[in-house]
């Protein structure tokens, strides 16, 4: 009946919500760029499904628009939340990829089988898509798990034990299924749990040239941003290095998930996904020029400016950092798109044009949610400009820590890349 259906969809919403928060929070800890980029996309897909579930619950319970909390599903959601405390990257990948995601896919499939296509048609449409997406996500995780298995043999048995324990707990609470849940929660944390903390240093893909500052103009204002091939390359390097923004998006999504309303999660999931597309634009552009990843600088400085210079409020710093860089760079973008057009580089032009539209949306997210956060903290909501200024100072302070050796190595790397790009162009 209508009320029971709403109850079940509410459970699926909370499970999807928990899953996406955990995935977002792990983005900085996972090194392979491919995983960072796709995890951001999965987070966004989950947020879209969760949002559709939530809206459907409201429709079925009209006129009530109250979501309450997990209610009878508290034990189930607590099991889902556990993966955030995974002891290692392989343990996280294995438990999400082989326990939680298949549980969600199976639950959606059972729902579609058990429910009425006519009476509940609107749910059928978005859950059919959700099953397809979950199937794709599971395949993605299987590939990553295979790669992790070959690299980290010692943590593998721990990851397997962790996943087995999680599976037992999921079974004990009755699974996600369409049956009514048990509200029994196995006591204590599972063996091996490691309380989640925000990574201070983001993990970097070893295929790239590792550095803190990814282009000489960051540490040397006299170094030209350039034009022609130099500008095309610089812009692709910027896009690739938006890896930091994907990580920041994931961290802030999870850090403020229980403080801000659902719309925050929904907006920041999209934000994180958009940044992953910008990062991928740079990656694909550089690969299309046939540049070897080992020549390409992949830095950490913006993320670390928010986590190492001032550790008092890392999530707020990361949000402020996104807002600072987006509002700082946005004005250059239409002009650069025009220049790329004049070079006949339609790929760079196209990327920059779409990037501009995304960043305009993000600037509004930044302003809105910084204001709401400040208000919740009892501070003046109009002081969001001060957060932006503070982040500018944090970055400047961090940039000043660049050593002469680091700067000269970076200039050598940039010249090498530029020469390779000229040769291959
Ligand atoms: Fe971006
Ligand atoms: Fe952005």
């Amino acid at each position: 009946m209508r009320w029971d259906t709403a109850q079940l969809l509410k459970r699926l919403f909370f499970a999807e919500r928990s899953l996406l928060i955990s995935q977002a929070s792990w983005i900085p800890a996972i090194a392979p760029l491919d995983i960072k980029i796709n995890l951001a996309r999965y987070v966004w897909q989950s947020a879209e499904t969760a949002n559709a579930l939530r809206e459907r619950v409201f429709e079925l319970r009209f006129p009530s628009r109250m979501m309450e909390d997990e209610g009878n599903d508290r034990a189930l959601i607590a099991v889902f939340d556990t993966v955030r405390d995974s002891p290692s990257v392989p343990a996280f990948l294995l438990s999400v990829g082989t326990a939680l995601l298949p549980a969600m896919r199976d639950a959606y499939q059972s729902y579609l089988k058990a429910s009425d296509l006519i009476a509940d048609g609107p749910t059928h449409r978005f859950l059919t898509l959700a099953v397809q997406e979950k199937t794709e996500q599971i395949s993605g995780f299987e590939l990553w798990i295979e790669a992790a298995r070959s690299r980290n043999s010692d943590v593998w048995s721990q990851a397997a034990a962790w996943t087995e324990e999680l599976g037992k707990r999921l079974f004990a609470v009755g699974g996600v299924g369409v049956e009514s849940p048990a509200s029994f929660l196995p006591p204590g944390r599972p063996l091996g749990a490691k309380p989640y903390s925000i990574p201070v240093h983001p993990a970097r893909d070893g295929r790239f040239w590792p550095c803190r500052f990814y282009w000489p103009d960051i540490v040397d204002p006299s170094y030209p941003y350039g034009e022609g091939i130099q500008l095309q390359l610089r812009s692709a390097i910027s896009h690739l290095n938006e890896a930091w923004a994907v990580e920041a998006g994931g961290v802030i999504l999870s850090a403020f998930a229980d403080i801000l309303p659902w719309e925050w999660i929904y907006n920041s999931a999209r934000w994180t996904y958009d940044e992953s597309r910008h990062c991928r634009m740079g990656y694909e552009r550089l690969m299309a020029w046939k540049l070897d990843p080992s020549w390409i600088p992949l830095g950490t400085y913006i993320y670390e400016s928010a986590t190492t210079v001032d550790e008092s409020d890392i999530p707020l710093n990361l949000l402020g950092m996104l807002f600072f860089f987006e509002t700082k760079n946005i004005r250059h973008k239409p002009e650069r798109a025009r220049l790329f057009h004049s070079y006949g580089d339609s790929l760079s032009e196209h990327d920059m044009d779409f990037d501009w539209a995304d960043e305009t949306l993000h600037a509004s997210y930044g302003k809105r949610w910084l204001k709401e956060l400040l208000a919740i903290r009892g501070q003046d909501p109009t002081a969001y400009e001060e957060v932006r200024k503070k982040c500018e100072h944090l970055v400047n302070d961090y940039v000043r820590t660049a050593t002469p050796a680091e700067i000269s190595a970076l200039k050598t790397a940039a010249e090498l890349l530029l020469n390779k790009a000229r040769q291959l162009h």
Side-chain angles (χ1 to χ4, degrees):
M1 285 295 109
R2 182 168 62 90
W3 205 258
D4 299 329
T5 301
Q7 202 55 34
L8 183 54
L9 294 180
K10 190 184 116 193
R11 178 195 305 167
L12 296 169
F13 163 77
F14 277 108
E16 199 69 79
R17 177 184 180 277
S18 169
L19 185 62
L20 84 92
I21 294 171
S22 295
Q23 293 187 86
S25 71
W26 273 76
I27 293 174
I30 300 177
L33 194 68
D34 172 51
I35 303 189
K36 276 190 209 292
I37 289 174
N38 280 297
L39 213 45
R41 189 163 62 91
Y42 298 169
V43 164
W44 168 69
Q45 289 173 338
S46 270
E48 289 292 341
T49 301
N51 196 60
L53 284 163
R54 186 172 174 274
E55 287 301 321
R56 188 70 184 133
V57 171
F58 293 149
E59 285 176 15
L60 293 170
R61 288 178 169 180
F62 184 80
S64 166
R65 278 190 72 87
M66 283 285 289
M67 203 58 184
E68 316 123 21
D69 56 12
E70 301 91 326
N72 287 340
D73 300 313
R74 188 161 292 127
L76 171 70
I77 302 307
V79 175
F80 265 70
D81 288 346
T82 308
V83 292
R84 214 164 311 162
D85 297 333
S86 292
S88 64
V89 170
F92 171 78
L93 294 177
L94 194 67
S95 53
V96 172
T98 67
L100 298 193
L101 286 174
M104 291 305 292
R105 178 201 55 199
D106 296 349
Y108 291 151
Q109 271 170 342
S110 326
Y111 183 96
L112 289 172
K113 234 180 255 158
S115 64
D116 178 354
L117 177 60
I118 300 168
D120 199 17
T123 312
H124 271 250
R125 183 181 174 277
F126 68 80
L127 283 192
T128 303
L129 174 62
V131 168
Q132 283 170 21
E133 289 177 342
K134 286 285 169 279
T135 306
E136 189 208 336
Q137 292 166 14
I138 292 164
S139 310
F141 269 78
E142 279 168 358
L143 288 175
W144 304 337
I145 289 164
E146 270 319 297
R149 203 193 286 272
S150 61
R151 274 199 309 268
N152 299 293
S153 53
D154 50 331
V155 290
W156 191 252
S157 58
Q158 183 201 42
W162 169 257
T163 303
E164 199 188 319
E165 172 66 21
L166 201 90
K168 278 186 198 154
R169 286 177 176 239
L170 201 55
F171 184 76
V173 296
V176 188
V178 289
E179 307 299 322
S180 41
S183 42
F184 162 76
L185 181 65
R189 281 173 185 282
L191 202 66
K194 196 176 138 208
Y196 176 82
S197 65
I198 297 170
V200 173
H201 300 283
R204 282 286 168 267
D205 193 322
R207 291 180 304 142
F208 296 90
W209 190 70
C211 54
R212 293 197 297 162
F213 308 99
Y214 56 79
W215 207 247
D217 54 24
I218 295 163
V219 285
D220 177 359
S222 70
Y223 194 92
Y225 208 88
E227 40 190 63
I229 179 76
Q230 192 170 351
L231 179 63
Q232 290 164 279
L233 188 64
R234 179 65 181 87
S235 170
I237 293 282
S238 285
H239 270 152
L240 173 76
N241 274 277
E242 287 191 42
W244 83 269
V246 188
E247 293 160 333
V251 167
I252 59 177
L253 181 156
S254 65
F256 301 130
D258 293 331
I259 301 168
L260 292 170
W262 163 253
E263 283 73 15
W264 157 254
I265 299 181
Y266 190 51
N267 283 172
S268 59
R270 171 63 196 273
W271 198 349
T272 307
Y273 169 53
D274 288 351
E275 301 308 350
S276 80
R277 292 188 294 108
H278 302 162
C279 174
R280 190 168 169 193
M281 282 172 182
Y283 178 72
E284 302 286 343
R285 189 73 195 89
L286 294 162
M287 293 306 106
W289 278 321
K290 304 212 170 7
L291 295 166
D292 192 291
S294 67
W295 306 330
I296 299 170
L298 184 58
T300 55
Y301 87 102
I302 303 178
Y303 185 94
E304 286 171 349
S305 302
T307 57
T308 63
V309 183
D310 162 40
E311 290 163 42
S312 66
D313 204 341
I314 289 175
L316 188 73
N317 290 346
L318 285 167
L319 173 56
M321 226 35 108
L322 275 171
F323 187 52
F324 168 63
F325 276 94
E326 285 173 339
T327 46
K328 170 177 167 274
N329 293 331
I330 201 162
R331 64 199 162 87
H332 299 299
K333 294 186 178 193
E335 173 55 19
R336 282 182 194 148
R338 270 192 295 278
L339 280 171
F340 295 143
H341 181 81
S342 74
Y343 306 154
D345 180 355
S346 57
L347 188 56
S348 297
E349 180 197 1
H350 169 269
D351 285 355
M352 192 56 86
D353 201 31
F354 275 83
D355 170 285
W356 179 84
D358 292 336
E359 298 304 7
T360 310
L361 180 66
H362 301 171
S364 74
Y365 289 163
K367 189 170 161 184
R368 173 183 173 190
W369 293 110
L370 268 172
K371 281 167 95 169
E372 295 218 13
L373 261 181
L374 292 171
I376 284 172
R377 291 169 174 212
Q379 290 165 267
D380 175 9
T382 60
Y384 65 89
E385 271 301 326
E386 280 156 41
V387 178
R388 188 182 183 276
K389 275 192 203 110
K390 178 191 166 191
C391 287
E392 183 174 10
H393 288 302
L394 291 178
V395 179
N396 291 340
D397 289 348
Y398 191 80
V399 167
R400 273 194 286 275
T401 67
T403 63
E406 204 173 13
I407 296 173
S408 90
L410 180 58
K411 285 185 177 169
T412 309
E415 289 308 317
L416 170 89
L417 191 64
L418 204 50
N419 287 334
K420 295 282 185 190
R422 285 190 187 110
Q423 285 165 21
L424 295 165
H425 206 47

